[in-house]
């Protein structure tokens, strides 16, 4: 990835030369020679500490000319952000935190600040119009595939930058300016650099990378003023005047879907003479395009349609950190795009002269972000795991849906309830982003119906979505947008919808939208067809199909509330019924395990309270949005069978009887997933062959099993004879040599309900209880207490045996009396 001046590049690859102005062409024959500056810096990177290296870099950037600095620039960028293949970590900005490494953090942030030394180096090289090669193979999937197929991507970021390899070359490259090259590496380091094992518990918002993204967005997407802040130059140094990309692209070209060949674009595309004032915002345009392309453009419409197949191979999958950074971008974009003054928002303002920054603010979201974000969210909604980590995706989506939260004038609002009503000013945004509200809401419903709503984290997500959509006047705006889309087409021909998403390539930004665009129905239709295609089938959010899903969600919310309460009661009862002595082995233990459907057991009563609050408010918001009555909820709740049986226990999950046993119905699966019902699992095999428990000594259990098996085999006849006696001795032997209740145990399967679970078992001795930690600890405790009273081991053993015999006699008499009572 060495730098190559444009003239040398044209000599090397004359068939793919980029058309540039003659004055910008520069030749540096010394590039073929080794750079002693680069070799010195590489040696220092190994031998010197981080602080000293950064100080030396600042001096180098200040003292050396661009002619020398361009040789170290690719190495420096890679040493900071890591290699594109992820092998070199660089400065590891995604794990660098101020509270952990305050010195390194402060130095790195000062060096990479938008007004810091690194950006001075970028502008210094930008003024000389150097170009640096960036391999196409590391671009996002759809962009890479498009370029490799000789089709120019829709973003103007790639126009006139593709360099075909010479004979024997390794691959396609992009000829990027220093500013673009720096931002490409910075943005892609979020994806290419894999987090270190110890970085799993690092808070993303505290990391240097996240804070740098915030600073860059605040600097290059300002909410105040009409120009960007200028980079301060040192006294005596020439003020850099970097030029915008060549050629400059008009706003009208954003969002186009070209199908021309790359060679034709590179050799025949004419330069567009942009307004000189557009030089003010070239940095803002470049930064936004790079961030959107590298972070969001991982899915195309064709790829999204293919992913609807259950057999499709899953492409790029974002991480939670990636989603958090994208959310930060969206919040800044809303503040930037809606920082226009009231007079600049009026329709008449478009007819007057406006600064390029104002025009860019209007075009930023619809032209750069909307389509790529929609496909990004669709993929996340469909493929993200059904766990609490989806909260990051959810908050990113909700941030985009609420631009009024980030508009500069929001501080002027009062705190009363009336101020929280969504203003009519935002109706155009809602209508032009209709699918973001409606289709993604349906996608969230399908996820919510498959999650455990008893979990507080999942209940919180349902509450957040319901609260946002229940904001006053928002549901009415969405309904109005759906009505506009479903209006019959009287004037607009159906075949023109595909052309509505973007204006002609040769038109200017202001003339690209004819007066007919003021028709709201026209704009909504163009939005829907532009994102979903001509043949999309739109499902109204307030139609009968979605209403059915909302009713089902309301039922599950009601059931989840009841389940949370029941689980809380069960936890309290089990804790109260489990005294301390049960751990010592004096009380029976549950050998069949317990059922844990969610995290309520770990979080306790506070978790139950939070879950109940979230679900209660979510149900209230859903009823408010979709006008659900309490009578409807009660009727549907009873239809799902949430009533309890006469013993106060939940019924079994809904299922049918098949040839091989019970088969869960879809309703039964929903009941199990949400913890509404469960099967009572009980071990029904040979008690001696149960798996070794955590409270047992494995080797001792196996040894005792062999010993008891040998005794049972040797004295089987004698034990059977003793148990067959009708006197007290027979009852005493039966109490110890037979498993109680074994003959009365039945299989739970209704298919074989009449068959007993036990095989014909004769009397046998079981010594497994001696392999339990509890039993051994109880014996040690007994010997210790006896030693305090000066009782030796042998007398203590005799006392224990005598005490147990008295206990066994009493239990034998009680057992026999119980049998006579039942007879």
């Amino acid at each position: 990835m060495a730098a190559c001046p444009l003239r040398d590049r044209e000599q090397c690859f004359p068939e793919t030369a980029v058309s540039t102005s003659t004055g910008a062409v520069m030749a540096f024959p010394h590039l073929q020679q080794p750079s002693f500056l680069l070799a010195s810096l590489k040696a220092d990177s190994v031998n010197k500490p981080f602080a000293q290296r950064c100080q030396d870099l600042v001096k180098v950037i200040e003292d050396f000319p661009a002619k020398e600095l361009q040789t170290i620039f690719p190495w420096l960028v890679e040493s900071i952000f890591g290699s594109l293949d992820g092998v070199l970590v660089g400065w590891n900005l995604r794990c660098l935190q101020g509270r952990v490494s305050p010195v390194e953090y402060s130095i790195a942030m000062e060096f990479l600040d938008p007004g810091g030394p690194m950006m001075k180096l970028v502008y210094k090289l930008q003024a000389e119009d150097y170009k640096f090669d960036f391999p196409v193979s590391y671009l996002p999937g759809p962009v890479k595939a498009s370029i490799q197929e000789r089709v120019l991507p829709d973003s103007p970021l790639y126009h006139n930058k593709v360099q075909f390899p010479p004979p024997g070359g390794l691959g396609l490259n992009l000829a990027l300016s220093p500013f673009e090259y720096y931002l490409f590496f910075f943005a892609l380091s979020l994806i290419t650099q894999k987090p270190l094992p110890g970085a799993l518990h690092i808070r993303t918002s505290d990391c240097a990378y996240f804070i740098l993204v915030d600073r860059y967005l605040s600097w290059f997407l300002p909410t105040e003023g009409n120009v960007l802040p200028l980079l301060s130059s040192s006294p005596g140094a020439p003020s850099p005047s970097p030029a915008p990309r060549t050629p400059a692209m008009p706003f009208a070209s954003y969002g186009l879907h070209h199908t021309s060949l790359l060679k034709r674009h590179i050799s025949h595309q004419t330069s567009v003479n942009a307004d000189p004032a557009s030089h003010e915002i070239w940095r803002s345009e470049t930064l936004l395009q790079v961030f959107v392309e590298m972070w969001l453009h991982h899915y195309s419409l064709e790829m999204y349609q293919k992913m609807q197949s259950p057999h499709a191979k899953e492409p790029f999958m974002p991480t939670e950190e990636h989603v958090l950074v994208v959310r930060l971008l969206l919040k800044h974009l809303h503040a930037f795009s809606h920082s226009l003054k009231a007079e600049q928002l009026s329709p008449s303002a478009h007819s007057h002269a406006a600064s390029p920054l104002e025009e860019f603010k209007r075009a930023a979201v619809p032209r750069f972000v909307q389509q790529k974000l929609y496909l990004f969210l669709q993929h996340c909604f469909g493929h993200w795991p059904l766990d609490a980590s989806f909260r990051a995706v959810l908050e990113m989506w909700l941030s985009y849906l609420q631009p009024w939260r980030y508009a500069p004038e929001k501080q002027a609002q009062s705190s009363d309830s009336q101020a929280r009503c969504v203003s009519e000013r935002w109706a155009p945004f809602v209508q032009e982003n209709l699918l973001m509200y409606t289709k993604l809401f349906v996608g969230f419903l399908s996820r919510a119906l498959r999650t455990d709503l008893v979990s507080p984290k999942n209940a919180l997500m349902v509450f957040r979505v319901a609260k946002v959509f229940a904001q006053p006047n928002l549901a009415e705006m969405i309904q109005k947008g759906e009505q506009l889309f479903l209006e019959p087409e009287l004037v607009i021909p159906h075949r023109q919808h595909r052309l509505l998403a973007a204006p002609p390539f040769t038109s200017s930004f202001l003339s690209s939208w004819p007066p007919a665009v003021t028709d709201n129905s026209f704009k909504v239709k163009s939005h829907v067809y532009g994102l979903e295609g001509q043949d999309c089938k739109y499902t109204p959010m307030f139609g009968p199909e979605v209403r059915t899903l909302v009713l089902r969600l309301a039922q599950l919310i009601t059931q989840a509330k009841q389940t949370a309460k029941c689980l809380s009661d069960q936890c309290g009862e089990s804790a109260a019924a489990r005294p301390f002595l049960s751990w010592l082995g004096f009380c029976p233990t549950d050998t069949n395990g317990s059922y844990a459907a969610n995290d309520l057991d770990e979080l306790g009563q506070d978790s139950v309270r939070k879950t109940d609050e979230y679900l209660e408010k979510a149900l209230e918001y859903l009823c408010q949005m979709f006008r659900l009555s309490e009578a409807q909820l009660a009727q549907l709740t009873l239809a799902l069978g949430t009533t309890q049986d006469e013993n106060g226990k939940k019924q079994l999950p809904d299922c049918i009887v098949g040839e091989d046993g019970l088969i869960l119905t879809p309703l039964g699966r929903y009941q199990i997933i949400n913890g509404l019902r469960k099967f009572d699992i009980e071990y029904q095999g040979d008690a001696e062959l149960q798996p070794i428990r955590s409270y047992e000594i494995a080797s001792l259990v196996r040894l005792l099993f062999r010993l008891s098996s040998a005794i049972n085999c040797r004295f089987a006849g004698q034990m059977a004879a003793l148990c067959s006696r009708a006197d007290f001795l027979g009852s005493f032997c039966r109490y110890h040599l037979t498993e109680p209740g074994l003959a009365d145990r039945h299989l739970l399967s209704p298919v074989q309900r009449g068959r007993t679970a036990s095989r014909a078992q004769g009397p046998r001795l079981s010594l497994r209880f001696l392999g339990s930690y509890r039993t051994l600890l109880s014996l040690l405790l007994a010997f210790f207490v006896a030693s305090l009273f000066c009782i030796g081991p042998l007398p203590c053993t005799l006392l224990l045996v005598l005490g147990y015999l008295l206990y066994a006699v009493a239990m034998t008499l009680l057992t026999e009396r119980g049998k006579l009572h039942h007879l």
Side-chain angles (χ1 to χ4, degrees):
M1 292 181 288
C4 181
L6 295 182
R7 182 177 298 171
D8 293 347
R9 189 181 305 277
E10 293 174 0
Q11 293 173 358
C12 296
F13 316 116
E15 71 278 7
T16 60
V18 180
S19 59
T20 56
S21 60
T22 306
V25 177
M26 304 179 64
F28 293 95
H30 76 285
L31 290 181
Q32 303 300 326
Q33 303 175 0
S35 171
F36 295 102
L37 175 61
L38 177 60
S40 175
L41 291 176
K42 286 184 177 180
D44 291 344
S45 66
V46 179
N47 301 322
K48 290 186 177 181
F50 179 75
Q52 184 62 42
R53 298 202 311 265
C54 289
Q55 291 178 5
D56 294 344
L57 286 172
V58 173
K59 294 179 181 178
V60 168
I61 293 171
E62 292 289 344
D63 298 341
F64 282 78
K67 180 179 179 179
E68 296 290 338
L69 295 175
Q70 59 91 20
T71 61
I72 71 168
F73 183 67
W75 167 83
L76 180 58
V77 171
E78 187 177 76
S79 66
I80 293 174
F81 301 120
S83 58
L84 295 173
D85 56 8
V87 175
L88 299 179
V89 180
W91 289 6
N92 199 18
L93 297 174
R94 291 167 57 187
C95 299
L96 184 60
Q97 299 184 84
R99 59 184 177 85
V100 177
S101 306
V103 177
E104 291 81 358
Y105 174 86
S106 176
I107 294 174
M109 296 300 292
E110 182 179 355
F111 187 81
L112 300 176
D113 190 82
M118 190 63 191
M119 201 58 69
K120 289 182 180 180
L121 170 61
V122 170
Y123 291 153
K124 207 170 186 179
L125 298 176
Q126 187 81 23
E128 302 296 336
D129 204 15
Y130 286 105
K131 298 293 181 181
F132 299 88
D133 287 341
F134 186 93
V136 170
S137 58
Y138 291 105
L139 294 176
V143 178
K144 177 174 63 178
S146 178
I147 294 178
Q148 290 174 346
E149 294 174 0
R150 302 297 193 266
V151 178
L152 188 65
D154 59 351
S155 173
L157 183 66
Y158 308 103
H159 291 184
N160 296 305
K161 292 183 174 65
V162 179
Q163 300 293 304
F164 292 97
L170 297 179
L172 295 169
N173 291 317
L174 297 180
L176 301 179
S177 69
F179 188 73
E180 293 168 336
Y181 187 84
Y182 176 81
L183 289 180
F184 268 57
F185 266 83
F186 176 76
L188 279 176
S189 65
L190 177 65
I191 300 170
T192 58
Q193 297 297 317
K194 305 302 180 184
L196 299 177
L200 298 177
H201 303 290
I202 294 178
R203 187 177 179 181
T204 301
S205 59
D206 294 337
C207 298
Y209 185 87
F210 188 89
I211 298 175
L212 276 176
V213 172
D214 184 63
R215 290 187 183 181
Y216 287 166
L217 291 172
S218 300
W219 183 281
F220 295 108
L221 301 178
T223 57
E224 297 181 1
N226 294 329
V227 295
L228 299 179
L230 297 177
L231 184 70
S232 59
S233 301
S234 60
S239 177
S241 56
R245 59 182 182 272
T246 305
M249 305 303 298
F251 286 100
S253 66
Y254 298 152
L256 296 182
H257 301 273
H258 299 288
T259 57
S260 304
L261 295 179
L262 282 175
K263 292 184 178 180
R264 180 178 179 182
H265 272 277
I266 292 176
S267 58
H268 294 94
Q269 183 175 336
T270 58
S271 300
V272 181
N273 295 323
D275 189 335
S278 65
H279 288 214
E280 302 174 7
I281 62 166
W282 70 270
R283 291 175 294 167
S284 301
E285 294 181 49
T286 303
L287 177 126
L288 179 57
Q289 289 184 79
V290 171
F291 283 1
V292 170
E293 289 293 312
M294 301 302 116
W295 294 342
L296 294 179
H297 196 185
H298 294 275
Y299 317 100
S300 62
L301 181 59
E302 294 76 13
M303 182 185 298
Y304 162 68
Q305 293 171 345
K306 291 178 181 178
M307 288 302 296
Q308 305 307 305
S309 171
H311 304 291
K313 183 180 179 181
E314 183 174 330
F316 173 82
M317 188 66 189
T319 62
E320 189 172 349
E321 180 187 8
H322 182 172
V323 172
L324 292 174
V325 173
V326 172
R327 185 192 180 206
L328 178 64
L329 170 64
L330 297 180
K331 292 162 68 174
H332 272 276
L333 271 177
H334 279 322
F336 172 73
S337 301
H338 299 97
S339 61
L340 295 171
K341 299 179 181 179
E343 59 272 13
Q344 297 170 337
L345 292 172
S346 60
S348 60
H350 293 272
S351 60
H352 301 290
S355 71
L357 187 60
E358 293 172 359
E359 298 291 356
F360 179 56
K361 287 181 179 182
R362 293 192 183 97
V365 172
R367 302 293 179 86
F368 287 107
V369 180
Q370 188 187 69
Q371 184 184 44
K372 295 179 177 65
L373 176 63
Y374 176 72
L375 296 177
F376 184 86
L377 285 171
Q378 281 279 33
H379 183 271
C380 290
F381 274 59
H383 298 84
W384 200 277
L386 290 171
D387 56 22
S389 66
F390 185 72
R391 174 78 185 279
V393 179
L394 187 80
E395 294 298 337
M396 175 183 66
W397 172 49
L398 297 180
S399 294
Y400 183 80
L401 298 186
Q402 302 176 88
W404 46 87
R405 290 185 57 193
Y406 312 103
E409 72 273 9
K410 71 182 180 67
Q411 288 85 0
Q413 296 178 353
S414 59
S415 59
D416 58 4
S417 59
Q418 296 298 327
R420 291 195 293 269
C421 178
V422 181
S423 171
E424 284 294 330
R425 170 199 166 184
W426 302 104
F429 179 87
V430 174
Q431 295 168 6
E432 294 169 12
N433 291 272
L434 184 63
L435 290 177
M436 293 284 193
Y437 290 90
T438 59
K439 188 161 186 178
L440 292 180
F441 179 80
V442 176
F444 174 76
L445 285 180
S446 65
R447 288 185 62 92
L449 291 173
R450 291 177 289 153
T451 55
D452 179 11
L453 297 184
V454 182
S455 169
K457 296 177 181 178
N458 292 334
L460 175 60
M461 287 191 282
V462 176
F463 163 74
R464 290 283 296 123
V465 173
K467 181 180 179 181
V468 168
F469 277 84
Q471 293 178 85
N473 203 34
L474 179 58
E476 289 76 6
M477 290 182 182
I478 298 175
Q479 283 183 298
K480 177 62 175 177
E482 290 189 327
Q483 293 172 2
L484 292 172
F485 175 74
L486 298 174
E487 279 184 1
E489 303 177 20
L490 301 178
V491 179
I492 307 171
H494 185 71
R495 66 181 62 184
Q496 290 184 0
H497 285 313
R498 191 175 295 275
L499 302 177
L500 300 180
F505 177 75
T506 57
S507 61
S508 65
F509 172 71
L510 295 179
S511 62
S512 62
W513 295 99
V517 169
T518 57
D519 179 17
N520 292 331
S521 176
F522 185 92
K523 291 193 293 185
V524 175
K525 293 175 189 293
S526 67
H527 155 72
V528 173
Y529 291 131
L531 294 185
E532 284 286 332
Q534 179 80 27
D535 303 324
C536 73
K537 296 181 179 179
Y538 182 76
T539 303
M541 177 176 167
F542 294 94
E545 296 181 18
V546 178
R547 184 179 178 85
T548 302
L549 295 177
V550 172
L551 287 173
R552 188 187 301 173
L553 179 61
Q555 299 163 14
L556 295 180
I557 288 175
T558 304
Q559 292 178 328
K561 291 174 57 181
Q562 298 176 358
T563 303
K565 185 177 183 306
C566 292
L567 290 176
S568 176
D569 295 341
Q570 291 175 6
C571 292
E573 293 173 0
S574 60
R578 211 182 318 163
F580 174 75
L581 290 179
S582 66
W583 191 85
L584 300 178
F586 292 109
C587 291
T589 58
D590 180 15
T591 60
N592 295 310
S594 59
Y595 173 77
N598 46 59
D599 55 359
L600 284 178
D601 293 339
E602 299 179 0
L603 299 181
Q605 295 295 327
D606 187 58
S607 169
V608 177
R609 180 183 58 80
K610 289 182 178 179
T611 300
D612 188 71
E613 290 178 0
Y614 292 148
L615 295 179
E616 181 69 28
K617 295 299 294 184
L619 190 59
E620 177 183 338
Y621 289 138
L622 290 175
C623 293
Q624 176 183 333
M625 288 170 52
F626 292 91
R627 297 178 176 84
L628 304 179
S629 64
E630 294 184 3
Q632 288 177 302
L633 293 179
Q635 181 180 1
L636 293 170
T637 302
L638 292 176
L640 279 177
T642 60
T643 56
Q644 298 179 344
D645 60 12
E646 58 186 4
N647 295 325
K649 298 181 180 180
K650 287 288 185 180
Q651 301 173 354
L652 293 179
D654 189 69
C655 52
I656 58 176
V657 179
E659 296 180 356
D660 299 324
L662 295 178
I663 301 176
L664 281 174
T665 64
L667 175 58
R669 284 192 288 270
Y670 276 121
Q671 292 168 339
I672 290 180
I673 290 174
N674 288 275
L676 304 176
R677 297 185 184 179
K678 65 176 181 179
F679 288 104
D680 292 326
I681 307 300
E682 181 182 359
Y683 182 80
Q684 298 207 337
D686 190 346
E688 289 293 294
L689 300 179
Q690 291 186 73
I692 297 176
R693 308 295 181 177
S694 60
Y695 53 81
E696 293 178 323
I697 304 174
S699 57
L700 186 57
V701 168
R702 295 188 181 99
L703 180 61
L704 293 172
F705 176 74
R706 296 192 190 99
L707 178 60
S708 59
S709 297
I711 294 174
N712 292 332
C713 182
R714 176 68 178 81
F715 300 101
Q718 291 86 335
M719 290 190 292
L722 288 173
C723 291
S724 62
R725 296 178 57 155
D727 54 5
F728 175 79
L729 181 60
S731 300
F732 187 84
C733 292
R734 285 192 296 271
Y735 175 78
H736 289 88
L737 300 179
T738 59
E739 184 178 353
L742 183 63
D744 298 330
R745 187 178 299 171
H746 292 78
L747 291 174
L748 292 178
S749 174
V751 180
Q752 300 173 335
R753 186 171 296 276
R755 203 175 72 187
T756 60
S758 60
R759 297 187 296 269
Q761 291 280 3
R764 57 179 179 171
L765 177 67
S766 176
L767 300 176
R768 181 166 177 164
F769 71 97
L770 294 175
S772 171
Y773 288 108
R774 303 172 184 176
T775 303
L776 296 178
L777 182 59
S778 302
L779 293 175
L780 289 176
L781 183 61
F783 282 111
F784 174 75
V785 173
S787 66
L788 296 179
F789 295 94
C790 300
I791 301 176
L794 184 58
C796 181
T797 303
L798 294 176
L799 289 175
L800 290 175
V801 172
L802 180 60
Y804 178 76
L805 288 175
L806 294 176
Y807 169 79
V809 169
M811 292 301 299
T812 300
L813 293 175
L814 292 176
T815 302
E816 290 298 320
R817 182 176 297 179
K819 291 181 179 180
L820 293 174
H821 177 74
H822 286 297
L823 292 175

